[in-house]
Amino acid sequence: MDESTKRGTQPVNIEELKSKGNDCVKDGKYIEAVLHYTQAIKMDPNNYVLYSNRSFAFLKLDQHYLSLQDANETVRLQPQWAKGYFRRAEVEAASGLYDEAIISYTRALQLEPHNPKLMESIKNITDMQKNKLKGNQNTIWICTCIGFIIGISIVVLDYSLTANPTLSHPLSMVAFSIALAGLGWTIGKTSTLMSAWSAGKSLQPPPDLVSNDTNEKEAVPEKKTKYSKAQARQRYKQGKN
């Protein structure tokens, strides 16, 4: 006899847990919502709606890795449901993976061609991507200009404030200014590349999950070394000696 029967209460069913989770989401209690959805999933592991709802709750908690796992499970269980791809696109967009998000949004729109929310989401993410590219170009341009201005300033100060200027020839002055402009371009380009590399980092598994996987691998017993018959006889003789 389980605990719920002993207490004289009806056992909690999946719909009740789902409803409680939805109420928690409405109240902004996302951790509690995750707990309710998780309990419901244990009772019905193939319920794709529960994975979708938990994915949304994880996203609100900025747990992008876990949110994406649930979104992918939603798609796996029901590949013809547009909302699964929408959930995945939302996580990818929040992680800065705009190209991947556009693909997921587009897949959802193919399943629901007249969904205005999906059309708006694609427009918004496309605008974000354009703004990001424009911002990267502006960063490179600004760094290049700053480098060039610094170069000219150094040349002018060197020529006007010193008795024997280091850069006395006009060509050397121009070359020096261009070199600093090139350095500025390199700094700007490096900055944009680092920004691009940082996209999707929030989708990496949490450290505690990685450490658990490592511990499980370490817990696997090592295989015993197999010996040939000749080696076994030799080890037997050595043991008797």
Side-chain angles (χ1 to χ4, degrees), residues 47-208:
N47 192 322
Y48 58 90
V49 177
L50 293 174
Y51 285 102
S52 174
N53 291 358
R54 192 173 69 172
S55 174
F56 178 76
F58 275 134
L59 180 60
K60 287 297 183 180
L61 292 169
D62 291 328
Q63 296 291 333
H64 294 169
Y65 172 79
L66 298 175
S67 180
L68 183 62
Q69 296 301 307
D70 279 352
N72 286 335
E73 186 64 13
T74 303
V75 171
R76 187 187 71 81
L77 292 172
Q78 183 50 274
Q80 300 304 316
W81 195 41
K83 200 167 187 178
Y85 297 96
F86 175 78
R87 290 282 184 239
R88 184 166 70 186
E90 291 286 282
V91 182
E92 291 167 340
S95 304
L97 298 176
Y98 298 140
D99 291 338
E100 290 81 352
I102 290 175
I103 294 173
S104 297
Y105 279 131
T106 303
R107 178 62 179 134
L109 189 62
Q110 290 173 347
L111 296 171
E112 292 186 10
H114 304 294
N115 190 318
K117 187 174 183 180
L118 291 174
M119 295 179 185
E120 183 181 359
S121 297
I122 291 176
K123 181 182 180 302
N124 291 337
I125 196 68
T126 302
D127 290 341
M128 291 173 64
Q129 188 182 45
K130 289 179 180 178
N131 291 334
K132 183 179 179 180
L133 292 174
K134 186 177 180 180
N136 289 341
Q137 292 174 354
N138 289 339
T139 298
I140 295 173
W141 172 249
I142 290 172
C143 290
T144 302
C145 289
I146 291 174
F148 187 69
I149 292 171
I150 292 175
I152 292 177
S153 300
I154 293 174
V155 169
V156 171
L157 292 174
D158 179 57
Y159 188 80
S160 59
L161 298 180
T162 59
N164 296 314
T166 304
L167 302 171
S168 57
H169 197 280
L171 289 179
S172 63
M173 295 178 183
V174 173
F176 181 78
S177 300
I178 293 175
L180 284 189
L183 179 61
W185 182 90
T186 303
I187 293 173
K189 188 67 175 179
T190 302
S191 176
T192 58
L193 288 175
M194 290 180 66
S195 176
W197 290 334
S198 65
K201 277 194 173 182
S202 61
L203 293 178
Q204 295 179 355
D208 54 342

Side-chain angles (χ1 to χ4, degrees), residues 1 146 216 228 231:
M1 185 179 295
I146 291 174
E216 288 178 1
S228 64
Q231 290 175 328

Side-chain angles (χ1 to χ4, degrees), residues 14-34:
I14 296 172
E15 286 302 319
E16 288 178 354
L17 290 170
K18 178 184 172 184
S19 179
K20 288 181 179 179
N22 293 343
D23 290 339
C24 288
V25 168
K26 292 177 183 178
D27 295 336
K29 301 176 181 178
Y30 301 114
I31 294 179
E32 294 182 25
V34 167

